[in-house]
Amino acid sequence: MDVKIRIEDLTYAYGDKVALRDVTMDIPANAITVVFGPAGGGKTTLLRLINRLNDLIEGTRMSGRILLDGKDIYAPATDVIDLRRRVGMVFALPLPLPGTIRENVEYGPRLAGVRDPVRLEEIVVRSLKQAALWDEVKDRLDTPASALSGGQQQRLCLARSLALEPEVLLLDEPTSGLDPISTGRIEETLFELKQRYTIVLVPHSIQQAARVADYAAFFLMGELVEWQPGDMLFTNPRDQRTEDYITGRFG
Amino acid sequence: MRSKHWIEFAIESLIRVLGLSSIGFVLLIFLFLLKEGLPAFFEVAPENLFGVRWYPTFGLFGTLPLILGSLLVTATAIAIALPLGVATAVFVREVAPGWAREVLKPMIEVLAGIPSVVLGFFGMTVLAPLVRVTLNAPTGLTAFTGGLILAYMALPTIISVAEDALDAVPKSYRDAGLAMGATQWQTIWRVVVPAARSGILTAVMLGMGRAIGETMAVMMVTGNAARMPTTLDSLFRPVRTMTATIAAEMGEVARGSTHYHVLFGIGILLFVITFLLNLVAAGAIFKKRRRGGLR
């Protein structure tokens, strides 16, 4: 397996509250790594650290390193904007930006300096197709994005991230507010996408974790309890706490 | 049990009477304005009333220079206060560190409490000479000076309300912008400000309401010459606003005379103009909302 992201001895705290404690793990390329566990385990914090979204929060402490392709993303020489273009993120709540469907997808590439209308059109079509939304919206690209259903909005957010052709996709409970059909669509999309991208997913249920995981990492109270290939972790966990959680004894 | 019921009834009635009476007072004031002002529209011919010459002693009641004067001063004030106010709100909410925000916000709100006559005095003694010298104009008491003072008066309102609007934009919008590789500035300008659009518009309307209705400071710095502001340099010439006219002339007018009724008529016009401006703004907000903007 190729390691895309390596996390070394990562400890992170908001003020006195430690969110992650001595986390060390690898995230393999072209696979879905599922990060799961009960609330407050540090999953979201881990994702936010991988594309440096917590930079603007005051009063936090961090030690350890996060390496993307072997380079420390917190090194002073790192271009944060460039990093965020390489590492896309989709949030739990679908959040279309003001404007039309087309404007939403074009937003990132435009910021990155793409101006050519032909190129932008290509990006819009490709991203919406990749996010499995194209067939539903191809006739109304210039209507407001807020008129889409929740599931469609979430796939639009996915398309918006894909428009930048990131190398890594971070997904924080992308299906938490969705019906089973929309959820199924997004999961299918993820299986397609992992051929080309490295995906880190916080699932909204253990069942989803088991369905999509190539690799799985179980977080409890800021601690990485264990991580290994998904089929191993869900059938034969090494740690008693993991077994208790996935069999539903707590959580 | 019975007495408790009675107290409940008494308090409810008292609250009802108080509430209704304040609505009643507003209505009465409005009726008074109509009663005193409407005759003007019958006593003075329309071509005189909306003419270009305001010489009440000669029976010339042309209100057009006053209306245009008010609009010119207000437009100038908004043109200055809008970019400045929104920029300050963005700075206070998005850029300034936490402790600076805690200090700046209340300080800005205190500015709104400065009495307008003090600002007018400041305008007369400091701003007007400055304008006169800088522009090499015959007088510093100009529409522009009035606009500057009004902009200053509208700023605290605009900043404070716009800051609240920016504050109400969920943090997730900022995350979404940043996660797409936008810089902090791009996120503010292309995501946060559009999302707060309707609140910022409200801020501007409130500021504008303050500006168009303001009397004292304007009267002290605009020079009060009822000339038509139709030439290009009108901005740097004296003008007279509707509010200043009412305030300056009401004291010496014979009660019940045509002049008296016309002054109240100007009050009605001012009310109608303000009302229309608010209606247009509300319409703009409503339309955007229906078109599927954010809020």
Side-chain angles (χ1 to χ4, degrees), chain A residues 64-217:
Chain A
R65 298 200 301 169
I66 300 177
L67 307 173
L68 176 66
D69 290 332
K71 290 210 184 73
D72 185 352
I73 64 168
Y74 282 87
T78 306
D79 178 349
V80 184
I81 303 303
D82 182 59
L83 169 77
R84 294 201 186 119
R85 283 181 189 143
R86 292 171 62 196
V87 182
M89 183 152 180
V90 177
F91 301 90
L93 284 175
L95 192 88
L97 296 166
T100 65
I101 296 170
R102 184 195 302 278
E103 284 166 357
N104 262 274
V105 183
E106 285 179 349
Y107 191 87
R110 275 180 186 278
L111 287 180
V114 181
R115 288 281 176 275
D116 176 21
V118 180
R119 176 98 186 82
L120 282 171
E121 179 71 21
E122 271 172 30
I123 292 175
V124 169
V125 175
R126 173 186 56 80
S127 314
L128 287 171
K129 279 184 175 162
Q130 280 185 333
L133 187 60
W134 174 250
D135 291 334
E136 290 160 60
V137 301
K138 64 182 174 207
D139 300 324
R140 47 174 173 147
L141 291 177
D142 294 307
T143 58
S146 51
L148 295 174
S149 74
Q152 289 171 331
Q153 287 186 2
Q154 190 56 285
R155 276 176 285 152
L156 179 65
C157 293
L158 188 58
R160 203 171 59 192
S161 296
L162 294 172
L164 284 163
E165 301 191 59
E167 297 157 34
V168 181
L169 259 183
L170 308 172
L171 303 144
D172 189 0
E173 301 192 14
T175 55
S176 61
L178 303 187
D179 60 273
I181 296 168
S182 303
T183 302
R185 271 214 196 109
I186 289 189
E187 286 175 10
E188 277 166 35
T189 308
L190 295 183
F191 285 124
E192 292 283 316
L193 292 175
K194 75 173 177 187
Q195 318 295 334
R196 302 177 49 192
Y197 302 96
T198 299
I199 296 175
V200 185
L201 172 80
V202 175
H204 79 256
S205 67
I206 298 171
Q207 290 79 2
Q208 183 178 46
R211 274 199 303 272
V212 302
D214 293 314
Y215 296 86

Side-chain angles (χ1 to χ4, degrees), chain B residues 164-201:
Chain B
D164 287 341
L166 291 173
D167 196 46
V169 175
K171 194 176 152 300
S172 42
Y173 281 83
R174 297 179 177 85
D175 283 348
L178 291 175
M180 260 182 300
T183 61
Q184 197 189 355
W185 160 244
Q186 287 168 327
T187 306
I188 291 170
W189 193 241
R190 313 263 301 255
V191 182
V192 181
V193 171
R197 186 180 46 206
S198 74
I200 291 175
L201 232 144

Side-chain angles (χ1 to χ4, degrees), chain B residues 17-229:
Chain B
V17 168
L18 289 177
L20 287 179
S21 58
S22 65
I23 297 174
F25 289 138
V26 172
L27 264 180
L28 281 177
I29 291 171
F30 186 63
L31 285 178
F32 178 74
L33 183 66
L34 287 184
K35 175 180 159 285
E36 300 291 342
L38 278 182
F41 296 91
F42 301 107
E43 288 170 22
V44 184
E47 63 268 25
N48 184 355
L49 195 61
F50 295 102
V52 297
R53 289 155 73 84
W54 174 261
Y55 293 116
T57 34
F58 300 106
L60 290 173
F61 296 105
T63 53
L64 209 54
L66 313 178
I67 296 173
L68 292 180
S70 273
L71 292 181
L72 178 66
V73 174
T74 307
T76 310
I78 290 300
I80 299 167
L82 173 63
L84 219 56
V86 173
T88 310
V90 166
F91 171 75
V92 171
R93 177 60 192 81
E94 304 288 330
V95 186
W99 62 267
R101 190 180 316 150
E102 301 299 313
V103 179
L104 282 172
K105 187 91 195 288
M107 271 172 68
I108 288 164
E109 276 159 11
V110 164
L111 286 184
I114 297 179
S116 65
V117 66
V118 173
L119 285 177
F121 190 59
F122 168 79
M124 267 173 108
T125 55
V126 179
L127 212 52
L130 201 68
V131 169
R132 182 167 53 81
V133 172
T134 321
L135 298 173
N136 201 13
T139 170
L141 302 173
T142 64
F144 181 67
T145 321
L148 280 179
I149 284 288
L150 281 189
Y152 186 83
M153 293 187 63
L155 267 177
T157 315
I158 294 181
I159 295 169
S160 178
V161 178
E163 203 267 352
D164 287 341
L166 291 173
D167 196 46
V169 175
K171 194 176 152 300
S172 42
Y173 281 83
R174 297 179 177 85
D175 283 348
L178 291 175
M180 260 182 300
T183 61
Q184 197 189 355
W185 160 244
Q186 287 168 327
T187 306
I188 291 170
W189 193 241
R190 313 263 301 255
V191 182
V192 181
V193 171
R197 186 180 46 206
S198 74
I200 291 175
L201 232 144
T202 310
V204 174
M205 288 320 296
L206 285 173
M208 198 150 145
R210 174 126 208 237
I212 202 168
E214 171 53 33
T215 310
M216 188 46 86
V218 172
M219 197 158 80
M220 289 168 80
V221 299
T222 53
N224 295 318
R227 63 186 289 278
M228 284 291 284

